[in-house]
Amino acid sequence: MRGLGDTFFNLQVIEKYLPALLSGFRVTLALAGAVVTLGILLGLTLAMVRAFRFRVVNWLIVAFVDLFRTLPQLVVLVFAYFGLPYAGITISGFTAATLGLGLVLAAFAEEAFWAAITAIPRGQWEAARSTGLSFAQALGSVVMPQAVRIAIPLLTNRTIAITKGTALASVIAVPEILDKAQSAMSLSSNASPLIIGAGLYLAIFAPFVVFSRWLERRFGWII
Amino acid sequence: MANDCFLLEIDDLHKSFGDLEVLKGINLRVRPGEVIILIGPSGSGKSTFLRCINRLEEPTRGRIRVDGTEIMARGVDLNRVRKDIGIVFQAFNLYPHLTALGNVTLALRKVLRMSRQDAEACGRRMLEHVGLAEKADAYPSELSGGQQQRVAIARALALEPKLMLFDEPTSALDPELVGSVLKVMRDLRDEGMTMVVVTHEMSFARDAGDRVLFMDGGEIVEEGPPSTIFRNPAHQRTREFLQRVLHV
């Protein structure tokens, strides 16, 4: 044994596999961006649709939300990638991961936005409607701007947790950080690529966490 | 029938919440420029009645005509009707995420489709009208209760309503702030605004009201000019109520 340094910080290994890991970094970044965009926008849309209280539509929304809040993320990913082809739908690993994690995030985001919408006092609706705003206008101009602020602290933790799930995409052959790190590890029989991988995750998610703290402070003033 | 001399006509208005009948057939005629004061014990149905007039509460049955428009009719454009009926709430209900000016201009831009520039010019005039020109850029949380309520009045007035409803506008205010709001309401009256006011401010009722309606148990028990109601109430229930509120 040549010591801890060689096993975990082997410069030769790092130099050799760094380009592969950096390409994984770009994939993880793109995947995280796609998941957050899909999840938050879809969750927001579903919550706003739910506010209109169409019975059948709401029933479907609640069923979707409860299903995707219940299923483990890994199960969703595996199903999207290995299950859908049996239904004649073949999608790339990247698309499957975006869809799988995005839908899970959408389910949680819908609940957060919905909780925030129901927390807006009735008087806000009444003030808006009494000045002639339609339901949709009251929702868009009065209720949602306040609801989004309330939802942000509820959302940030969940968004970070689910977005970190991009590492699960290694299971369905998405060439992201963990996937690259694992193959580099087996090729080199050395743990250094994993250390670099961990560092790359930090590089993505530490700013994310700092940004979410800023958001929470920035919009924490209401109610 | 000379319907035209009434701005607001209400016939046999009923409202029930489940089995509980809150309004038991209210009739009311209001002439343009008239100030109607609604008084009565809590739970008598006066707020519910007021909120039925712009259908924030949906009446169970009855007829409401505002300036000739049958507002209970099927297919009526409620958003258009509400533009003509301003309402001021006990809890102000200002939009906390918008400035005073933003509160006043929102409906101007969304409902009347005014440009931002026109809406803001109009909004500033309205704020000036209630004595708050210098607070245009303040958020509601930065204003006192009395100031918030005056912004709420400006918000309602900006749409140039034909009728203003006030639902206990001073009940949530500290005593020293009540006067500023009542002053704005007196000015409005002097400008000829038609108003229906639910209030516990008996001095305001006495000197600003054209007619006082005493409600109890979902009915109008008696009505008349303030001098008659306050000095010479005909009903025992009115006497008891006035004794309670005037001697507290």
Side-chain angles (χ1 to χ4, degrees):
Chain A
M1 289 303 280
R2 299 195 30 223
L4 221 57
D6 253 12
T7 314
F8 288 101
F9 299 99
N10 188 317
L11 286 179
Q12 275 173 317
V13 173
I14 290 171
E15 203 183 342
K16 184 169 179 197
Y17 292 102
L18 195 58
L21 282 162
L22 284 177
S23 85
F25 174 79
R26 284 191 293 274
V27 172
T28 294
L29 202 57
L31 187 56
V35 167
V36 171
T37 308
L38 173 67
I40 300 292
L41 288 184
L42 182 61
L44 181 65
T45 308
L46 290 175
M48 288 176 71
V49 170
R50 189 170 171 189
F52 284 83
R53 296 179 196 271
F54 299 121
R55 191 185 299 253
V56 178
V57 176
N58 280 13
W59 189 85
L60 291 172
I61 291 173
V62 172
F64 163 81
V65 166
D66 286 353
L67 178 68
F68 279 89
R69 287 200 304 167
T70 317
L71 290 174
Q73 296 168 28
L74 187 56
V75 173
V76 178
L77 291 192
V78 168
F79 180 83
Y81 189 64
F82 297 108
L84 286 183
Y86 289 101
I89 305 163
T90 305
I91 51 181
S92 71
F94 188 90
T95 310
T98 303
L99 210 58
L101 295 174
L103 292 182
V104 172
L105 180 56
F108 283 100
E110 192 281 336
E111 280 303 283
F113 285 122
W114 176 247
I117 289 173
T118 56
I120 302 297
R122 198 174 143 198
Q124 292 291 309
W125 286 101
E126 291 183 345
R129 298 305 308 276
S130 74
T131 51
L133 266 68
S134 68
F135 182 90
Q137 286 174 325
L139 181 67
S141 298
V142 173
V143 174
M144 287 320 294
Q146 300 179 56
V148 167
R149 286 167 167 89
I150 296 173
I152 282 171
L154 306 173
L155 266 173
T156 47
N157 275 331
R158 187 60 73 173
T159 304
I160 292 164
I162 292 173
T163 313
K164 280 194 300 189
T166 50
L168 296 172
S170 57
V171 174
I172 55 172
V174 177
E176 49 72 68
I177 296 173
L178 186 60
D179 177 70
K180 292 290 185 189
Q182 277 174 330
S183 47
M185 273 200 306
S186 33
L187 289 173
S188 64
S189 309
N190 186 284
S192 301
L194 193 61
I195 296 296
I196 301 305
L200 293 176
Y201 276 116
L202 271 179
I204 294 178
F205 288 102
F208 206 103
V209 170
V210 171
F211 174 66
S212 78
R213 284 211 189 289
W214 176 83
L215 263 185
E216 285 170 29
R217 263 204 315 277
R218 171 76 178 72
F219 292 121
W221 55 270
I222 214 165
I223 298 186
Chain B
M1 285 276 284
N3 276 339
D4 292 359
C5 42
F6 294 113
L7 183 73
L8 175 65
E9 298 163 82
I10 295 170
D11 292 307
D12 196 31
L13 191 76
H14 289 257
K15 171 68 183 174
S16 300
F17 293 107
D19 289 336
L20 182 69
E21 193 172 28
V22 184
L23 299 177
K24 300 172 181 167
I26 306 277
N27 296 288
L28 178 64
R29 292 279 183 280
V30 182
R31 289 196 172 77
E34 221 179 352
V35 175
I36 304 289
I37 309 282
L38 278 174
I39 61 171
S42 59
S44 59
K46 43 193 203 307
S47 281
T48 306
F49 171 51
L50 195 79
R51 292 157 54 84
C52 278
I53 297 176
N54 65 354
R55 284 178 62 185
L56 277 184
E57 286 312 337
E58 198 57 57
T60 310
R61 66 173 202 271
R63 262 182 81 213
I64 303 173
R65 277 160 70 96
V66 177
D67 199 24
T69 307
E70 201 76 50
I71 74 160
M72 297 277 289
R74 204 178 283 269
V76 74
D77 183 350
L78 203 50
N79 296 328
R80 204 191 171 104
V81 166
R82 284 178 172 155
K83 190 173 67 59
D84 291 336
I85 309 173
I87 185 165
V88 174
F89 303 91
Q90 181 178 351
F92 329 135
N93 297 347
L94 290 185
Y95 313 132
H97 62 297
L98 298 177
T99 61
L101 187 62
N103 268 272
V104 178
T105 54
L106 181 67
L108 295 176
R109 299 184 55 206
K110 298 285 170 187
V111 180
L112 301 188
R113 306 258 164 224
M114 286 167 87
S115 69
R116 176 184 285 270
Q117 210 179 5
D118 291 350
E120 287 189 351
C122 176
R124 285 182 196 282
R125 273 202 311 280
M126 289 300 149
L127 287 172
E128 199 182 326
H129 200 104
V130 298
L132 290 173
E134 79 285 4
K135 296 290 186 186
D137 298 321
Y139 284 90
S141 59
E142 299 163 344
L143 300 173
S144 73
Q147 291 170 333
Q148 290 190 50
Q149 193 60 299
R150 280 143 67 199
V151 172
I153 293 173
R155 176 173 70 181
L157 288 178
L159 293 160
E160 300 182 346
K162 296 167 181 164
L163 171 67
M164 281 288 287
L165 310 173
F166 291 85
D167 188 4
E168 301 197 25
T170 58
S171 296
L173 296 177
D174 291 336
E176 77 270 22
L177 302 175
V178 169
S180 64
V181 171
L182 293 182
K183 180 186 179 302
V184 169
M185 292 170 65
R186 283 198 175 90
D187 290 348
L188 264 183
R189 171 210 150 87
D190 294 341
E191 290 156 22
M193 178 60 78
T194 313
M195 298 157 59
V196 181
V197 184
V198 172
T199 187
H200 295 296
E201 292 293 327
M202 292 303 154
S203 60
F204 177 80
R206 228 182 315 225
D207 59 45
D210 293 309
R211 239 191 311 157
V212 176
L213 274 56
F214 173 68
M215 278 186 76
D216 194 14
E219 302 167 310
I220 295 176
V221 176
E222 80 175 282
E223 63 168 283
S227 52
T228 314
I229 297 283
F230 285 108
R231 276 194 222 119
N232 248 326
H235 285 74
Q236 181 63 24
R237 279 195 278 177
T238 319
R239 273 197 291 276
E240 283 170 7
F241 172 75
L242 287 174
Q243 243 158 30
R244 277 201 307 277
V245 296
L246 294 177
H247 297 291
V248 166

